[in-house]
Amino acid sequence: METVLISVLNGLVYGMLLFMLASGLTLIFSMMGVLNFAHASIYMLGAYLAFTVSEFLGFFPALIIAPILCGLIGAAIEIWGLRKVHHNGHIAELLFTFGLVFIIQRLVQMTWGMLPMAYRVPAVLDFPLFALYGVNFPAYRGFMLLVSACMLLGTWLLLKKTRIGLIIQAALTHPSMVSALGHNVPMVFTTVFAGGCLLAGLAGVIGGNYQTTEPGMADSMGPIVFVVVVFGGLGSLAGCFIASIVMGMIQTFAVVVDYSVADLLRPLGVVLSGDTLLTEVLTVPVARIGALLPFVMMVTILFFRPRGLMGTRDA
Amino acid sequence: MTSLIRRLGFAFVVLSLAAVARPVWAQDTIKVAYVDPFSGPFASGGDEFLKVFGYILQKVNADGGALGKKFEIVPFDDKLQPAEALIALKNITDQNIPFVMQCTGSNVGAALVDGVSKHNARNPDNRILYLNCGALATELTNEQCDFWQFRFTGNVEMRAAARIKALPKDITKVYLLNQDYLFGQSVQHDTRKWLAKLRPDIQIVGDELMPFGKVQDFSSYVAKIKASGAQSVITGNYNRDLNLLIKAAVDDGLNVRFDTYLAHLIGGPTAIGAAGENRLSTITEFDPNVPVELKKPDAEAFSNGWRANHETDFSEIPFLTMFQMLAKAIDKAGSTDALKVALALEDMKATDMVGFPVQMRKEDHQLLMPYYAATFSRDVKYDAEKTGFGWKTDFIATTEDLTLPTSCKMKRPAS
Amino acid sequence: MKPRLLIIALVVVAIVLPWCFYDWVHHRHAGFLISMFSQMGMMVILALSYNMLLGQAGLFSLCHATFFGIGGYATVHLLNAAGAGDLHLPMEVMPLLAGLTGLALAILFGSMATKQRATAFAMITLGIGELMATAALMFHHFFGGEGGVTTNRMIDNSLFGLTYASGIQVYYLILAWTVIATGLMYFLTLTPLGRMANATRDNFERAQFIGYDPRMVRFLQFALSGFFAGIGGGLYAITYEIVTFDALAAPLSANALLMAYIGGTTVFGGPILGAILITMLQSGVSLLSNSWLVYVGVLFIAMVIFAPTGLAGIIKAHGPIKQAGRLGYLMVPYLRLVVPSLGVALGFVGLVELMSFLTIGAAQGKKLALFGGPIDVHATLPWVISAGSLLIGGVWLRFEAARFHRVWESLTTGIRR
């Protein structure tokens, strides 16, 4: 019971972090049709920038400044890069972001070096918030939940209550119609791209000290964010939210399950022995392949439902 | 069209020549090729080691080098990919460099053992020695051992033996958590083996493999460890997989020891920081506090020389031992011929910088050497990576302790 | 008639090339270059087979290395069986068996992935690629874990009595298979299947309307490209005599994409150019600079922005001008482009190298040697020169490019008229 409750909490924190990254990507992806490979690189930039800013000004100013910097970088990428590639088609755009990954990674290495940064949780938030069955729940994780909840609320208000939000929403589902109505679609694109990068940067700021800030962090976060976006479905922030939480939960819960296919077969009278490839595959406990489950789920859902969980149109 | 082809062809030839035309100076230095990742996500390791080699060579060359010549390191980027390492090997043999070192990754190590062996069999006039300074897989000096490989670092089993010997006596329950690939699996296997052999009183309350580099959130592992009631987590994890584990453990108030194999790796102390105080233990080949505790001023001065100019710590004493033994072997052989040097290296005895005896065993070409178990503590003279914490030695596994049997059946060259 | 001559010329060059670098002093081949040429050969197959998906069928796959790798693993196991005397097959047909393994796996995965198209297809292949790469690390029986599986290619069974002890024999084996595979893939583009692949790429609804099942077309194309990738993997195993999980991991899939795209996906031979160029960057330039990934990234982005049709596309665009016999008019504008481009390139390389030396290489005890001389990273002069040459070159290049564009436009419109 206690493991379940703790896993739920942890899954929630991780899921919210994923959502912060994935929501921006979903917006970009749904609107521009571009799977932005460099999204996780912006997340990494957010963490590094936050580290540098917090060296001078402290953590809380960094929480504001670093995401804004990331947003500006995103706007620059859109205006001087993506927009020029746009007329060459989606694959060209996708490949453009693909090239960015190499460049950002090496730039980060050249600027900050190759070693992990000593980017730490601020002292103010470095205490256990409460204890649950003897396991502490650190205040910083609560803070992460708070920040992501605020972000969720903010995005929701922006999309539902403002004019630009209305246009973005319309562009999510009917991009061509919106431009036909005479809206400045390139401008909307830039806004969305910058906004998405801002959110990724924010995720970097609070994720960078929760995890570690190092040049490999983009590589390790990238694929899973894709999975969330695709699983959630095109054009649906709600689907993205559900997918994030589900993926967060799955990864934390899978660790707790120690059963394998062989254990399932045992009651049926099948006993595996020997040292063959088949036994090797069937006796792998779920905990060992926990991190792979998202990929399995993604392949499964796309196979049956190419638009993803709550997508409004086919990917 | 033809002019274009001509132009392309010309550009091609020029580029290829540029790639090959590293000037091959007349033999006024002894070249040692160094293959490791220098680009991509794993570049930090190769980069750091290259600096360390630079520092070590200053000393070795000042001591006279070998045959009156100085050593020179020629780096090659393998991107941590076996195929790239084998291409680099061709480049190295083209330049008649008689030695190749490699210090990161057992996948590349296995490829080099095999590649060097085949190269030497097929090109007896241009042989090369593989000096392994960091591919740890136990197999490389057991089932897969080869005459042309000399390993100047302890294999996983030696480290496991040291790890278990160094465990505090009051521990009765341990949890094993390792990465799900060759290295993690052999740590798991050898840890179990030595626990059964040396500490039958210890109960293994959990034994788990986790996906390598894929886990983002360790809190559920922490909850599992907590539920198992373990006093210590024995883990071969390193870099990210270790840093995140320890962070999550401290955040969640899990109060256990972490008996690791590789926590001292570059970047580890910075990333872990205060979270590891007095509960993080590692198995090192050397750390700056060893000479302080053993009262060896020479060694202390040497490691201070590194410390003065770098943010990181000097812990690569086997690299120094390797070059000292190599120099001695070249002098003894009177040439850099791979076969002669190999025969001279076999069964060579030496003393490492701290004063412990080491030996290159003839049966499997594994260097028999001591290991130190150290705890992350404030109470040290030299801190690690300027974190305020350093490695405090609490156990020394001597060379005799770590002289383990080998299953190597080496094929020796005919001559 | 012309293209055929070109192909023959290319093959002849490929045959003669190793002997251009023969080391007459030591009487041996330049092993590194032969390895690099061999690597180019298998990468050509990989890139061409990838282009069967990307260029010809419009399918964006992210797991192409899976079939390359599985072909490699299969070959290693077959060679081991042959070496143990359990299998009596000549070396020359091993790549064919590797191809069949790739085909089998591509049929399995293809039946799943090709149910969808476009992004859904891409994401399914991403998932498959990740699953296979992780499985290769976890399961030791077939994949050998991190250390991979090793073998010995000297199985003493050859159609031509070759031992394959030396790299040059392997090179010619690879060359032969590259020519065969390239020929087959070219032949495929002429078949109804190849044509239908193009049709489903351009307008899959219309193709469906005519009565073809686009899913079947995708599936066949996917399976066949898996077959060719498997051949490449077999050659990989024969060359390196070891296959590790790197042979089926994501970076290689990404490489296939890079090579096909930079070379040009719209022309059949484009990926060949891309494969040669990327291999040279990877094995050649990486010897000279650790920042080679930046150069690849920048080259790639520049291609995407300025030349989405790839190298081959650029060359192809000259076709009509040449036909009109006006190629000479472009000579001067091209020459005028060279100087500012060199300025930009030198400035950029200079800045990148200076920067990476300042942060990463400074403490390595190396001295930065650039453009033939040692350079002090802390002096201001090299920075100023690099930045200046980048800036001035950039502005100048813009100017010249506009001029070039005008000439180009006037030429092409003149021809159209």
Side-chain angles (χ1 to χ4, degrees):
Chain A
M1 183 56 215
E2 66 217 52
T3 29
V4 171
L5 206 61
I6 292 163
S7 297
V8 166
L9 265 177
N10 287 328
L12 199 63
V13 174
Y14 182 52
M16 287 303 267
L17 184 70
L18 274 183
F19 176 63
M20 209 180 297
L21 260 172
S23 54
L25 192 61
T26 295
L27 284 178
I28 296 170
F29 184 31
S30 323
M31 209 154 152
M32 313 169 70
V34 189
L35 254 183
N36 178 11
F37 272 87
H39 204 69
S41 305
I42 302 285
Y43 163 78
M44 171 164 77
L45 265 183
Y48 271 96
L49 287 173
F51 166 70
T52 307
V53 174
S54 63
E55 289 273 279
F56 295 104
L57 300 173
F59 175 74
F60 291 99
L63 190 63
I64 313 280
I65 297 173
I68 292 177
L69 285 176
C70 287
L72 291 178
I73 294 172
I77 292 175
E78 210 282 332
I79 293 172
W80 286 303
L82 267 184
R83 198 176 285 180
K84 305 211 163 178
V85 190
H86 190 67
H87 60 269
N88 295 340
H90 281 336
I91 288 189
E93 290 179 290
L94 195 144
L95 296 179
F96 172 80
T97 63
F98 198 74
L100 272 184
V101 175
F102 293 119
I103 296 181
I104 295 181
Q105 175 163 33
R106 185 66 189 180
L107 276 182
V108 163
Q109 285 184 349
M110 286 197 302
T111 322
W112 283 281
M114 305 212 179
L115 301 177
M117 294 286 114
Y119 178 32
R120 304 215 191 286
V121 172
V124 198
L125 292 171
D126 200 7
F127 61 94
L129 195 61
F130 57 85
L132 204 69
Y133 305 104
V135 175
N136 290 341
F137 188 75
Y140 191 71
R141 247 176 255 176
F143 175 74
M144 286 173 73
L145 271 181
L146 184 76
V147 171
S148 33
C150 287
M151 179 233 102
L152 183 63
L153 191 73
T155 319
W156 187 76
L157 283 178
L158 187 80
L159 283 181
K160 296 283 171 188
K161 302 286 173 194
T162 64
R163 191 175 153 70
I164 178 104
L166 210 65
I167 301 170
I168 292 176
Q169 254 184 304
L172 277 182
T173 44
H174 302 90
S176 50
M177 194 63 208
V178 176
S179 67
L181 286 173
H183 291 285
N184 185 355
V185 173
M187 168 70 190
V188 177
F189 277 7
T190 310
T191 317
V192 169
F193 199 87
C197 289
L198 188 139
L199 289 183
L202 183 64
V205 179
I206 62 171
N209 50 6
Y210 170 63
Q211 298 183 337
T212 49
T213 305
E214 43 154 3
M217 67 190 288
D219 288 345
S220 61
M221 208 63 174
I224 183 80
V225 178
F226 273 8
V227 170
V228 167
V229 169
V230 174
F231 188 83
L234 260 186
S236 165
L237 271 179
C240 172
F241 180 73
I242 294 173
S244 307
I245 301 297
V246 166
M247 293 296 169
M249 294 288 176
I250 282 180
Q251 292 212 25
T252 40
F253 270 97
V255 173
V256 190
V257 185
D258 258 332
Y259 297 102
S260 66
V261 180
D263 294 320
L264 281 179
L265 293 177
R266 200 161 295 129
L268 304 175
V270 183
V271 179
L272 294 162
S273 61
D275 189 29
T276 64
L277 182 62
L278 188 68
T279 358
E280 203 180 0
V281 172
L282 293 183
T283 48
V284 169
V286 175
R288 254 177 85 182
I289 54 169
L292 286 182
L293 283 181
F295 293 102
V296 178
M297 290 182 60
M298 177 182 75
V299 171
T300 322
I301 198 158
L302 284 179
F303 184 62
F304 293 108
R305 202 180 140 81
R307 60 182 57 182
L309 195 61
M310 296 181 66
T312 48
R313 60 202 153 93
D314 277 3
Chain B
M1 208 60 181
T2 35
S3 74
L4 189 92
I5 296 167
R6 211 181 310 133
R7 242 179 291 154
L8 270 179
F10 180 70
F12 178 81
V13 169
V14 167
L15 254 176
S16 327
L17 282 179
V20 192
R22 307 196 136 207
V24 184
W25 306 116
Q27 300 282 330
D28 52 0
T29 56
I30 298 174
K31 286 205 173 68
V32 180
Y34 174 44
V35 176
D36 250 357
F38 298 112
S39 65
F42 303 98
S44 59
D47 194 58
E48 173 73 7
F49 287 158
L50 191 60
K51 293 178 197 167
V52 172
F53 278 122
Y55 180 65
I56 284 173
L57 278 197
Q58 283 173 11
K59 178 180 164 67
V60 175
N61 285 338
D63 291 350
L67 298 177
K69 297 177 198 165
K70 288 181 164 41
F71 284 103
E72 182 195 343
I73 294 209
V74 190
F76 291 87
D77 184 8
D78 68 4
K79 302 148 195 115
L80 207 60
Q81 299 202 353
E84 290 288 335
L86 291 177
I87 294 182
L89 183 65
K90 294 278 185 215
N91 201 344
I92 293 162
T93 50
D94 280 356
Q95 298 181 32
N96 292 327
I97 298 176
F99 308 107
V100 54
M101 308 185 290
Q102 180 264 348
C103 308
T104 312
S106 291
N107 54 341
V108 177
L112 278 178
V113 168
D114 202 54
V116 165
S117 174
K118 283 177 186 138
H119 172 86
N120 289 347
R122 293 168 193 171
N123 304 282
D125 56 333
N126 180 16
R127 286 166 169 166
I128 184 165
L129 273 193
Y130 166 38
L131 310 173
N132 174 350
C133 47
L136 308 184
T138 313
E139 292 89 324
L140 294 182
T141 45
N142 283 286
E143 294 83 8
Q144 299 174 14
C145 71
D146 191 81
F147 178 79
W148 302 104
Q149 178 208 208
F150 288 86
R151 172 146 65 185
F152 289 89
T153 184
N155 59 32
V156 172
E157 191 172 8
M158 288 164 70
R159 289 166 196 247
R163 179 71 275 167
I164 303 306
K165 276 184 212 266
L167 279 185
K169 294 286 164 237
D170 53 340
I171 283 183
T172 54
K173 286 178 175 175
V174 297
Y175 198 99
L176 271 50
L177 180 65
N178 288 294
Q179 293 153 327
D180 203 353
Y181 78 112
L182 183 71
F183 173 70
Q185 286 164 353
S186 55
V187 167
Q188 179 197 32
H189 173 263
D190 291 341
T191 309
R192 291 189 75 103
K193 179 174 162 189
W194 283 92
L195 271 175
K197 203 177 266 183
L198 296 174
R199 296 292 297 273
D201 56 312
I202 288 182
Q203 185 195 352
I204 299 175
V205 292
D207 182 359
E208 193 151 12
L209 292 171
M210 46 153 284
F212 173 38
K214 289 257 188 316
V215 177
Q216 306 292 338
D217 184 41
F218 275 84
S219 29
S220 25
Y221 286 102
V222 169
K224 226 170 154 180
I225 294 167
K226 178 124 192 162
S228 73
Q231 294 159 299
S232 165
V233 177
I234 302 183
T235 174
N237 288 12
Y238 58 94
N239 287 4
R240 188 184 168 80
D241 283 338
L242 178 68
N243 306 342
L244 290 182
L245 170 68
I246 292 177
K247 273 193 159 181
V250 173
D251 285 348
D252 295 358
L254 173 67
N255 194 15
V256 299
R257 283 174 60 85
F258 285 92
D259 287 301
T260 73
Y261 286 84
L262 295 171
H264 60 285
L265 281 196
I266 174 164
T270 310
I272 295 166
E277 186 177 7
N278 289 334
R279 58 153 104 190
L280 176 64
S281 161
T282 190
I283 296 293
T284 68
E285 289 157 341
F286 178 77
D287 70 75
N289 294 306
V290 167
V292 181
E293 286 147 1
L294 296 175
K295 306 213 168 38
K296 301 281 178 186
D298 287 354
E300 190 178 345
F302 186 70
S303 98
N304 276 341
W306 167 264
R307 202 178 157 77
N309 298 319
H310 298 84
E311 294 286 312
T312 52
D313 308 301
F314 180 79
S315 62
E316 291 82 2
I317 203 175
F319 291 4
L320 179 65
T321 314
M322 173 166 82
F323 267 101
Q324 285 170 337
M325 289 175 80
L326 183 64
K328 210 164 124 190
I330 293 173
D331 280 337
K332 190 174 156 195
S335 83
T336 55
D337 179 72
L339 180 62
K340 286 181 190 154
V341 176
L343 293 174
L345 269 174
E346 287 192 318
D347 266 337
M348 178 184 278
K349 291 193 170 88
T351 314
D352 71 9
M353 190 176 72
V354 183
F356 284 106
V358 297
Q359 186 188 352
M360 178 50 71
R361 180 160 58 183
K362 189 177 176 184
E363 288 78 43
D364 57 351
H365 292 188
Q366 166 71 53
L367 186 71
L368 305 171
M369 55 184 282
Y371 268 88
Y372 307 92
T375 310
F376 206 48
S377 156
R378 250 181 229 287
D379 179 25
V380 289
K381 184 165 177 190
Y382 297 110
D383 62 347
E385 298 176 4
K386 317 256 164 14
T387 51
F389 301 91
W391 297 107
K392 186 177 177 200
T393 312
D394 29 48
F395 182 82
I396 300 174
T398 60
T399 308
E400 295 77 52
D401 282 344
L402 301 181
T403 302
L404 309 175
T406 173
S407 64
C408 172
K409 292 184 189 68
M410 191 178 287
K411 277 198 201 121
R412 307 179 62 83
S415 56
Chain C
M1 210 52 212
K2 260 281 167 84
R4 198 167 296 170
L5 274 179
L6 182 71
I7 291 166
I8 292 171
L10 266 177
V11 173
V12 170
V13 166
I15 291 174
V16 177
L17 205 52
W19 299 95
C20 301
F21 301 101
Y22 191 77
D23 183 349
W24 296 102
V25 183
H26 294 91
H27 293 284
R28 63 168 191 240
H29 281 283
F32 167 66
L33 284 179
I34 288 186
S35 293
M36 199 162 98
F37 297 148
S38 305
Q39 172 87 2
M40 278 177 194
M42 54 188 112
M43 287 300 128
V44 162
I45 298 184
L46 182 72
L48 278 174
S49 65
Y50 185 75
N51 203 37
M52 286 178 70
L53 300 175
L54 182 68
Q56 289 158 23
L59 288 171
F60 186 66
S61 164
L62 289 164
C63 71
H64 205 58
T66 303
F67 310 115
F68 184 87
I70 208 73
Y73 277 111
T75 310
V76 166
H77 288 296
L78 288 172
L79 282 176
N80 281 341
D86 300 334
L87 185 74
H88 296 286
L89 274 177
M91 183 71 150
E92 287 77 11
V93 303
M94 289 290 177
L96 183 67
L97 296 179
L100 292 176
T101 327
L103 178 70
L105 198 71
I107 287 175
L108 177 70
F109 288 152
S111 60
M112 281 155 60
T114 55
K115 185 162 176 251
Q116 312 298 353
R117 51 182 283 280
T119 313
F121 170 83
M123 295 320 288
I124 293 182
T125 55
L126 175 80
I128 290 173
E130 283 286 326
L131 288 175
M132 282 300 286
T134 318
L137 272 182
M138 277 169 62
F139 302 120
H140 285 196
H141 274 95
F142 187 71
F143 299 110
E146 193 201 13
V149 192
T150 57
T151 185
N152 191 342
R153 67 183 172 220
M154 296 168 75
I155 54 169
D156 205 17
N157 190 347
S158 160
L159 291 175
F160 310 105
L162 297 172
T163 56
Y164 293 105
S166 66
I168 188 80
Q169 292 178 352
V170 176
Y171 171 74
Y172 284 125
L173 178 70
I174 289 178
L175 184 62
W177 269 104
T178 308
V179 171
I180 293 172
T182 309
L184 281 176
M185 279 186 268
Y186 184 70
F187 172 69
L188 265 179
T189 61
L190 305 177
T191 59
L193 173 67
R195 296 300 159 104
M196 278 323 292
N198 292 352
T200 53
R201 169 196 67 193
D202 295 335
N203 192 332
F204 86 105
E205 273 161 335
R206 203 172 284 177
Q208 207 166 11
F209 205 69
I210 301 172
Y212 285 94
D213 179 4
R215 184 183 169 191
M216 203 56 200
V217 174
R218 284 199 297 269
F219 173 68
L220 288 176
Q221 197 77 3
F222 190 85
L224 287 172
S225 86
F227 170 71
F228 289 112
I231 293 181
L235 297 173
Y236 176 98
I238 292 171
T239 311
Y240 298 115
E241 303 179 284
I242 181 170
V243 179
T244 58
F245 79 102
D246 304 278
L248 46 68
L252 191 66
S253 296
N255 250 354
L257 167 66
L258 282 174
M259 292 184 296
Y261 194 86
I262 288 187
T265 54
T266 52
V267 183
F268 176 78
I272 300 179
L273 283 181
I276 291 174
L277 184 73
I278 293 285
T279 312
M280 248 159 57
L281 272 173
Q282 219 159 31
S283 305
V285 178
S286 71
L287 282 178
L288 304 174
S289 164
N290 294 338
S291 307
W292 65 281
L293 270 174
V294 178
Y295 304 131
V296 172
V298 170
L299 173 74
F300 191 56
I301 284 189
M303 292 300 288
V304 171
I305 294 181
F306 299 111
T309 49
L311 292 175
I314 298 177
I315 298 173
K316 199 181 166 193
H318 288 77
I321 300 176
K322 182 167 189 282
Q323 244 167 13
R326 301 253 181 105
L327 212 52
Y329 291 94
L330 281 175
M331 213 54 187
V332 177
Y334 261 126
L335 281 177
R336 293 182 67 123
L337 277 178
V338 168
V339 179
S341 320
L342 273 180
V344 170
L346 289 186
F348 180 72
V349 170
L351 278 185
V352 168
E353 292 300 319
L354 280 171
M355 239 180 101
S356 65
F357 252 83
L358 200 61
T359 51
I360 299 167
Q364 285 179 0
K366 290 193 290 191
K367 290 278 180 291
L368 172 62
L370 210 59
F371 314 126
I375 288 173
D376 179 15
V377 248
H378 294 289
T380 19
L381 193 64
W383 290 87
V384 173
I385 293 179
S386 304
S389 117
L390 180 63
L391 261 177
I392 298 170
V395 174
W396 189 7
L397 184 63
R398 245 191 125 93
F399 177 73
E400 289 293 339
R403 198 189 143 82
F404 180 80
H405 195 70
R406 277 199 302 278
V407 176
W408 179 271
E409 282 296 310
S410 73
L411 274 179
T412 42
T413 46
I415 289 164
R416 247 181 258 137
R417 216 174 281 141

